[in-house]
Amino acid sequence: QVQLMESGGGLVQPGGSLRLSCAASASIFSINIMGWYREAPGKQRELVAGIVSNGVTNYSDSVKGRFTISREKNTVYLQMNSLKPDDTAVYYCRVYIGAIAAVYWGQGTQVTVSS
């Protein structure tokens, strides 16, 4: 089964930057979509950014111009700049493998933006 290893979360001041990473375990299946979601206290989990196998990306309106998603083989990154308190949440990596119609989630990494 696919396993995801997340890292890069932490505490940062408003205006600062962080880079999250998520590495998927080796597999004979191709990963079609990789993305990042976040869940803030009292709120639903929401899409932050996604990247398809052909390189096409999409972003939540709230992070456009500040966050950048990228992928190198089976590792996906989320570069977060100009962070603000509203970005505080647990960030989850998500992968979709079409060959087996399966979705996998990472364990989550905490991002806290506070002065």
Side-chain angles (χ1 to χ4, degrees):
Q1 185 170 329
V2 173
Q3 293 183 319
L4 306 178
M5 295 290 292
E6 295 185 36
S7 63
L11 174 65
V12 65
Q13 294 186 341
S17 298
L18 286 173
R19 190 176 81 150
L20 307 183
S21 64
C22 174
S25 61
S27 174
I28 63 172
F29 300 111
S30 296
I31 297 175
N32 300 105
I33 304 173
M34 301 189 80
W36 291 95
Y37 287 69
R38 67 186 181 187
E39 187 172 334
K43 294 186 176 181
Q44 290 184 274
R45 187 173 298 185
E46 65 175 0
L47 173 69
V48 176
I51 183 167
V52 184
S53 58
N54 63 5
V56 174
T57 60
N58 67 92
Y59 298 90
S60 166
D61 288 341
S62 64
V63 307
K64 287 181 180 177
R66 300 188 298 120
F67 292 10
T68 302
I69 188 171
S70 61
R71 177 181 176 179
E72 295 180 3
K73 295 186 178 180
N74 286 341
T75 300
V76 64
Y77 303 92
L78 185 67
Q79 178 65 47
M80 305 184 293
N81 299 325
S82 301
L83 285 162
K84 53 187 180 180
D86 284 349
D87 294 319
T88 296
V90 177
Y91 285 69
Y92 297 92
C93 177
R94 174 189 181 273
V95 304
Y96 171 67
I97 300 176
I100 55 175
V103 172
Y104 296 90
W105 292 91
Q107 81 281 3
T109 183
Q110 176 71 229
V111 171
T112 301
V113 184
S114 176
S115 59

